[in-house]
Amino acid sequence: MYFYIHIPFCESKCHYCSFTSLKKKDYEEAYFNALIKDIKFQISQFNLSKNSIKTLFIGGGTPSVVEAKYYEKLFQVLTPLLKEKAEISCEANPNSSNFNWLKAMKELGINRLSFGVQSFNETKLKFLGRIHSQQAIFKSLENAQKAGFNNVNLDLIYDTKLDTKKMLEYELLHLEKIKPLIKHLSAYHLSIEENTAFAKRFHYKKNASNLMRFFIKGIENLGFKQYEISNFSKNKPCLHNLAYWQGQSYLAAGLSGVGFYENQRFYTHKSLQAYIKEPCFRNIEKLNLEDLNLERLFLGLRSVVGVKEKDLSSAQKVRANLLLKAKKLQFERGRYFNKNFLLSDELALFISS
């Protein structure tokens, strides 16, 4: 089983962010008490036993704005259920993850860090609504190394209106400087989402496919292999995210959490007060075969997972083979694989239409 825990607290709201995040207002104690109830409920509901959790991912929000002591009780509950070499990830921001916090989280069992860097350029950081500096990035990486972390990911954002070839070369130059300190990279092209500061400001996104390809090639030239539209790794992928793309079952605890088990999706409350009051509440969505098929198509074609031929209908196989003849797809070991992840949505829509 794969387990996600959502920490909704942030110091500030980034301009592009559509995830559920709130400023801290002394809710940590009540929220973490609710989380423990939620986690214990799911342990019982899904009969989780010793060594049953393969990966644990603590995301947000910004988990690093919450003191490490609040995570201790979570790990008292979860540690007995974790596999011996489970991947245990936690997100952090450069400005809020000091050495003491990192060291304490390492001692709790975190073995993979994901820093929300987004850019090395000060102007671009301000444009995105980030509150850390370039210097804070280097300091946080130095602290992570001192605390004993050797599996670190950085998140970057590109395809903004500020991105030119020169800007992307600047990002790649700084990536090269810190390359020895990281093993994984997530590079997301900017999305304009509702209920964000960037909502309806479509000109903030450049939509420059030539620059996207340039940046992806530059990242790969630094030794990071692309294995999903937004993810690159030196040696091995993030096992937790890979489970999503493979269509594996996963559980989620926390505000606005979304879990998936067999053919059902489970949603927690979206209101903080409601979640604290009823942490075990779930709104259940039942997915039909068509829903699951479409999801497998989109996830498989945006990653190295690919799509099984046997999962496609006769009509879908015909369209997939047309893409194969056009050299847009490859076929190996009973699966169709996408050769250009930037076209993944278009290819999935063509096959499913």
Side-chain angles (χ1 to χ4, degrees):
M1 185 61 75
Y2 305 85
F3 213 113
Y4 175 80
I5 295 176
H6 189 71
I7 308 300
F9 305 115
C10 282
E11 288 181 280
S12 63
K13 185 78 168 176
C14 298
H15 298 161
Y16 55 86
C17 181
S18 62
F19 292 111
T20 299
S21 60
L22 307 160
K23 286 192 177 181
K24 288 199 302 178
K25 293 181 181 177
D26 300 320
Y27 287 120
E28 295 100 322
E29 189 83 41
Y31 185 75
F32 275 76
N33 286 339
L35 265 182
I36 290 170
K37 290 178 185 176
D38 188 350
I39 291 167
K40 286 182 175 178
F41 167 73
Q42 294 192 77
I43 290 171
S44 172
Q45 190 82 353
F46 294 95
N47 297 314
L48 298 186
S49 57
K50 188 176 180 180
N51 296 323
S52 61
I53 298 179
K54 297 177 181 178
T55 68
L56 174 66
F57 197 107
I58 301 173
T62 311
S64 54
V65 302
V66 177
E67 293 177 61
K69 67 179 182 180
Y70 288 103
Y71 294 97
E72 291 176 8
K73 290 182 180 179
L74 294 187
F75 277 88
Q76 286 173 8
V77 175
L78 288 166
T79 297
L81 305 177
L82 295 168
K83 282 188 172 292
E84 186 179 346
K85 294 183 179 180
E87 177 189 88
I88 309 171
S89 304
C90 186
E91 292 181 345
N93 275 359
N95 55 294
S96 57
S97 51
N98 58 41
F99 173 75
N100 289 334
W101 186 88
L102 290 166
K103 187 171 183 292
M105 295 300 279
K106 183 73 170 64
E107 289 171 353
L108 286 175
I110 302 295
N111 53 33
R112 182 179 182 274
L113 273 180
S114 182
F115 281 116
V117 168
Q118 315 315 349
S119 177
F120 293 96
N121 182 274
E122 300 283 357
T123 301
K124 187 172 165 184
L125 286 170
K126 289 176 183 175
F127 167 75
L128 293 169
R130 304 296 290 177
I131 58 174
H132 67 262
S133 64
Q134 182 192 104
Q135 187 58 39
I137 298 170
F138 298 127
K139 186 64 178 177
S140 62
L141 287 168
E142 179 186 323
N143 285 337
Q145 189 177 40
K146 285 181 181 177
F149 287 100
N150 59 16
N151 190 0
V152 176
N153 169 70
L154 291 190
D155 284 352
L156 292 175
I157 288 179
Y158 69 109
D159 198 39
T160 74
K161 71 173 187 176
L162 299 183
D163 284 306
T164 60
K165 188 176 180 181
K166 186 175 180 181
M167 174 69 82
L168 296 177
E169 285 174 340
Y170 181 89
E171 304 282 32
L172 291 167
L173 176 66
H174 286 80
L175 267 179
E176 188 171 17
K177 289 179 182 178
I178 52 88
K179 187 174 70 169
L181 302 178
I182 62 174
K183 289 189 175 180
H184 192 280
L185 186 69
S186 297
Y188 303 98
H189 50 86
L190 179 67
S191 295
I192 305 298
E193 306 282 354
E194 292 182 6
N195 302 316
T196 68
F198 281 178
K200 298 182 180 178
R201 297 182 180 182
F202 300 109
H203 63 289
Y204 280 13
K205 177 175 172 60
K206 185 157 275 189
N207 283 314
S209 57
N210 60 322
L211 290 177
M212 291 184 197
R213 289 193 296 270
F214 172 79
F215 195 46
I216 288 169
K217 185 66 176 175
I219 291 170
E220 289 190 316
N221 287 341
L222 292 175
F224 296 89
K225 181 176 174 57
Q226 186 181 28
Y227 67 94
E228 192 263 351
I229 189 170
S230 303
N231 285 278
F232 305 77
S233 177
K234 281 183 182 176
N235 43 27
K236 69 174 185 176
C238 171
L239 299 178
H240 186 86
N241 287 339
L242 194 60
Y244 293 154
W245 306 323
Q246 291 172 332
Q248 303 282 356
S249 293
Y250 56 89
L251 303 180
L255 180 65
S256 294
V258 182
F260 173 74
Y261 189 79
E262 294 180 347
N263 66 335
Q264 296 185 112
R265 197 164 274 129
F266 303 85
Y267 302 87
T268 66
H269 281 302
K270 294 183 178 180
S271 155
L272 179 63
Q273 287 76 15
Y275 177 76
I276 288 172
K277 185 178 179 181
E278 292 184 298
C280 302
F281 166 85
R282 291 297 186 276
N283 185 21
I284 301 174
E285 175 190 13
K286 291 189 177 181
L287 304 173
N288 58 36
L289 291 176
E290 188 178 337
D291 295 329
L292 293 169
N293 173 271
L294 189 61
E295 197 162 281
R296 278 194 293 264
L297 268 175
F298 274 90
L299 294 176
L301 292 179
R302 63 175 285 161
S303 69
V304 294
V305 170
V307 177
K308 291 181 183 177
E309 181 184 26
K310 67 178 185 178
D311 288 339
L312 300 180
S313 68
S314 298
Q316 289 174 335
K317 285 179 191 176
V318 170
R319 288 189 284 272
N321 286 327
L322 286 174
L323 293 174
L324 192 63
K325 288 179 182 177
K327 297 185 179 180
K328 300 293 184 184
L329 296 179
Q330 288 179 326
F331 186 76
E332 298 174 24
R333 306 181 306 278
R335 288 177 184 260
Y336 293 95
F337 294 96
N338 183 7
K339 298 174 68 176
N340 180 359
F341 294 144
L342 291 177
L343 295 177
S344 58
D345 287 354
E346 289 84 350
L347 298 180
L349 286 170
F350 176 77
I351 293 174
S352 63
S353 60

